[in-house]
Amino acid sequence: MSRKPELKGRAARLARLFPAGPRQAARTPFVLLVVLLLGGGLIGLLVLNSALSEGSFKMDDLQKDTKSLTDEEQALQRDIDSYSAPDALQRRARELGMVPGGDPAFLNPDGTVKGVPSPAAQQSLEDAPAAVGPPEAIPLSRTIEAPPSSATPTPSTLSEPTEAPAPSAAPTEAIPETPGR
């Protein structure tokens, strides 16, 4: 018959904190807690997996949109490059009735003129394109008279704008539409 030794002091106070006899803990709350933690973890993983899948689908759609927009941008840039090529600009300018300009003159900051201006080359009637649109849409030409030799031009040496000749009674042609516009 064994008897437990009696505890004194600090050990006695600590012994009061523990249950006195061999007591069985209830298993139901522990099992319920474990089941709830596992179920919550599985539901959390399911939600996380769904969110990642949705994000992946959105990213795939955005990458497809980016690729199509990049392709469209490159096609538009090719169109711009073809329209801004020197030969295309020259052809379009001739279609509009423009001619190459003459030698320019420059104004210095002190007001003196550097260079001798010359008028633009006159376009012959055979080279001139047919008038397109109403007569009001045809631009007026402006001619510049050459200044006296080695003298600086003054505003009085510039002639007033002259009106362009009236368009002939010939039928007008329509400008063909350029592709891509």
Side-chain angles (χ1 to χ4, degrees), residues 22-138:
R23 221 170 141 197
Q24 187 104 9
R27 291 186 182 188
T28 307
F30 176 72
V31 170
L32 187 60
L33 177 66
V34 169
V35 168
L36 286 175
L37 286 175
L38 287 175
L42 287 175
I43 291 174
L45 285 174
L46 180 65
V47 168
L48 181 64
N49 190 20
S50 298
L52 288 175
S53 295
E54 182 181 352
S56 175
F57 286 126
K58 283 183 182 178
M59 186 174 75
D60 189 44
D61 289 342
L62 290 174
Q63 285 175 343
K64 286 178 184 176
D65 290 345
T66 301
K67 184 181 182 320
S68 67
L69 290 174
T70 302
D71 291 345
E72 183 179 348
E73 178 191 17
Q74 289 174 351
L76 291 173
Q77 188 63 45
R78 280 193 304 270
D79 289 346
I80 289 172
D81 292 342
S82 68
Y83 289 134
S84 63
D87 59 335
L89 288 175
Q90 182 182 17
R91 180 180 39 80
R92 184 72 178 132
R94 289 198 187 280
E95 287 174 2
L96 293 173
M98 301 173 101
V99 295
D103 295 329
F106 300 96
L107 289 176
N108 290 326
D110 61 355
T112 60
V113 177
K114 182 178 181 179
V116 178
S118 65
Q122 294 294 326
Q123 189 176 20
S124 68
L125 293 177
E126 295 87 36
D127 294 342
V132 178
E136 301 86 40
I138 299 174

Side-chain angles (χ1 to χ4, degrees), residues 8-26:
K8 297 183 179 175
R10 186 173 187 183
R13 282 182 288 190
L14 287 175
R16 280 187 258 150
L17 295 176
F18 294 108
R23 221 170 141 197
Q24 187 104 9

